[in-house]
Amino acid sequence: MTAEPAHLASPWQAIDHAHLWHPYTSLPAAVAPLPVVGAEGCELILADGRRLIDAMASWWSAIHGYNQPALNDAAQAQLARMSHVMFGGLTHPAAAGLAERLLRIVPAGLESIFLADSGSVAVEVAIKAAMQYWQAAGQPQRRRLLAFRHGYHGDTCWAMSVSDPANGMHRLYADMLPQQRFAPAPQCPPDAPFEPAALEPVAALIEQEADELAGVIIEPLVQGAGGMRFYHPAFLAGLRRLCDAHGLLLICDEIATGFGRTGTLFACEQAGITPDILCLGKALTGGYLTLAATLTTRAVSARLNGGEAGVLMHGPTFMANPLACTIASASIDLLLAGDWQARVRRLETGLRAGLAPAAALPSVREVRVFGAIGVIEMQAPVDMARATAIATAAGVWLRPFGRLIYTMPPYPLTPVQTERVCEAMCAIASGTGG
Ligand code: PMP
């Protein structure tokens, strides 16, 4: 008989192993997930008492770190009032309070808000709104979207259809999804002078396809899960001008970049633009609960009212969940009350210094840092099990994918913790440690 693997040691882990799917895994999972029993500040607490510095901020959402008293108090106060009521025919101060805060901080002109239940759903809602917009405008043939290679917008159908068709996890469904148009990924790093030629491929595609296009969807300044690539704000500003020139809707997906990650509250601000439709999620609740938002200009929402349906055709059970809305409001208040800009700058400086040694390694293709995002791009795919072993031995939680070892940590990460994260990333890149 073989000894029981460590991850089956406790009864709950055995249940997890036998019955629970994890993201993008087989069942049972090939590599056992780490058992987490608590989280505090910027650390995860494992079942055996070990603490890991969380360099992932729970897939980029836990911007304040964990167990924040202000968010806990807000959640508890709302629980005592009500956790949830339907939003059809009913409303509550939690949703209005969040709307009021969002209106104060998002790019000017976005005034109509749909509170959805996850990032992918916010993208579905954005695309449905764009489709309905053109139906209402009497141009139903405008039903394709222009998206970008290396983009990622979520795992639901329309969201998959606008995510990179080749590099992503969605290739399996390629010929079952709505067929969209793809422009090359922006090739204009934010730290080099902008060459207007970078816009030529997308300009040519828009020119060719304008009559069939409903709009363009893009992640502002940072292409996240599709490759952790950064691009110049002038590209986004140019794209806004191209959309205006051809009457296309610009959909900005700030699900990953919203709430300070790139050094401004929203990455759009660095390009000085307002999209027609904006998607937010992830850090909206400080990583506490699932909630997302799709915001549109009045021009978009008013047009939908005039369409065949006269309504925005979406309405999930947990729309505008009061508990999530209350926590989101508390998270925005906490962010704005603190010195988030200095924290993001400090992280950027720390990541630049800490990751620089990796640039000299022959196994490394590129090291790049933008705001509170640090990336080591390898020449070859990273061995995830080995990478996890190296990182956890160094007391750090990292989750590389493909050729990318990256961090998007909570903003309060201290300089010492930042150094440890960078050391762990460099150790994975050099294949040492573990
Ligand atoms: N858009 C972007 C830019 C994202 O990074 C993600 C999630 N990584 C999504 C959409 C999908 O969000 P969710 O996982 O909450 O559905």
Side-chain angles (χ1 to χ4, degrees):
M1 243 178 69
T2 52
E4 199 160 31
H7 66 275
L8 298 181
S10 68
W12 72 264
Q13 283 175 273
I15 292 170
D16 175 284
H17 181 74
H19 299 287
L20 292 176
W21 263 300
H22 284 256
Y24 317 109
T25 58
S26 57
L27 182 63
V31 179
L34 297 179
V36 178
V37 294
E40 214 171 73
C42 296
E43 290 181 336
L44 306 176
I45 304 163
L46 301 187
D48 61 6
R50 271 183 301 160
R51 285 172 174 259
L52 300 181
I53 300 169
D54 182 9
M56 307 310 296
S58 283
W59 269 337
W60 330 339
S61 62
I63 53 173
H64 310 292
Y66 301 94
N67 228 331
Q68 285 295 320
L71 302 196
N72 292 357
D73 291 350
Q76 265 146 16
Q78 182 59 41
L79 268 178
R81 292 188 286 270
M82 63 187 167
S83 174
H84 184 64
V85 290
M86 62 191 277
F87 210 50
L90 301 177
T91 191
H92 44 76
L98 175 56
E100 200 185 359
R101 285 170 176 82
L102 287 174
L103 291 172
R104 260 191 280 173
I105 59 174
V106 295
L110 294 163
E111 295 185 6
S112 306
I113 307 172
F114 189 100
L115 294 168
D117 31 14
S118 74
S120 299
V121 173
V123 170
E124 292 295 304
V125 171
I127 295 178
K128 282 169 112 172
M131 296 301 143
Q132 283 190 245
Y133 176 93
W134 288 113
Q135 286 172 356
Q139 297 187 56
Q141 79 286 359
R142 283 189 182 254
R143 51 212 286 267
R144 292 212 193 286
L145 291 157
L146 185 77
F148 288 83
R149 302 231 169 234
H150 287 288
Y152 176 81
H153 298 283
D155 287 354
T156 51
C157 276
W158 246 318
M160 286 197 288
S161 80
V162 289
S163 299
D164 188 301
N167 90 342
M169 8 198 174
H170 304 142
R171 224 179 13 225
L172 282 178
Y173 313 101
D175 56 4
M176 303 169 214
L177 295 172
Q179 295 301 300
Q180 314 293 11
R181 299 287 178 256
F182 285 89
Q187 302 284 349
C188 44
D191 46 6
F194 181 70
E195 297 289 344
L199 279 161
E200 278 168 16
V202 66
L205 265 168
I206 289 179
E207 193 74 47
Q208 252 170 41
E209 310 268 345
D211 295 347
E212 289 204 342
L213 287 178
V216 178
I217 181 162
I218 192 163
E219 295 155 274
L221 307 197
V222 178
Q223 293 188 295
M228 291 288 161
R229 299 161 62 98
F230 312 140
Y231 65 88
H232 201 287
F235 185 92
L236 188 58
L239 192 61
R240 174 73 273 184
R241 284 194 300 276
L242 284 168
C243 287
D244 287 342
H246 292 87
L248 304 182
L249 297 174
L250 178 61
I251 305 173
C252 283
D253 177 351
E254 292 234 24
I255 288 164
T257 49
F259 305 99
R261 181 62 65 181
T262 64
T264 46
L265 269 185
F266 301 98
C268 283
E269 290 169 35
Q270 295 180 44
I273 63 139
T274 296
D276 302 288
I277 305 178
L278 175 71
C279 300
L280 301 175
K282 289 192 184 280
L284 174 60
T285 60
Y288 264 53
L289 271 182
T290 179
L291 183 72
T294 307
L295 296 94
T296 79
T297 59
R298 282 270 182 238
V300 171
S301 58
R303 174 64 62 76
L304 301 191
N305 295 342
E308 183 192 331
V311 300
L312 174 51
M313 199 52 93
H314 206 88
T317 306
F318 289 101
M319 181 165 175
N321 172 257
L323 187 55
C325 287
T326 300
I327 295 171
S329 289
S331 173
I332 293 171
D333 292 347
L334 183 63
L335 184 68
L336 299 182
D339 201 357
W340 64 270
Q341 277 161 305
R343 284 180 169 180
V344 170
R345 265 199 308 275
R346 188 174 71 189
L347 277 171
E348 179 162 9
T349 309
L351 292 172
R352 275 191 203 287
L355 298 181
L361 297 170
S363 54
V364 169
R365 181 176 287 187
E366 189 182 52
V367 172
R368 45 186 187 264
V369 174
F370 187 52
I373 310 171
V375 182
I376 301 176
E377 182 170 343
M378 304 293 290
Q379 306 280 9
V382 178
D383 175 340
M384 186 111 92
R386 180 158 164 68
T388 303
I390 293 173
T392 51
V396 175
W397 171 237
L398 286 162
R399 184 88 174 151
F401 68 93
R403 290 187 284 105
L404 303 166
I405 308 162
Y406 77 98
T407 178
M408 281 173 80
Y411 301 161
L413 205 73
T414 64
V416 171
Q417 288 173 320
T418 307
E419 255 174 57
R420 285 186 56 196
V421 167
C422 292
E423 279 163 16
M425 291 172 68
C426 292
I428 296 171
S430 67
T432 56

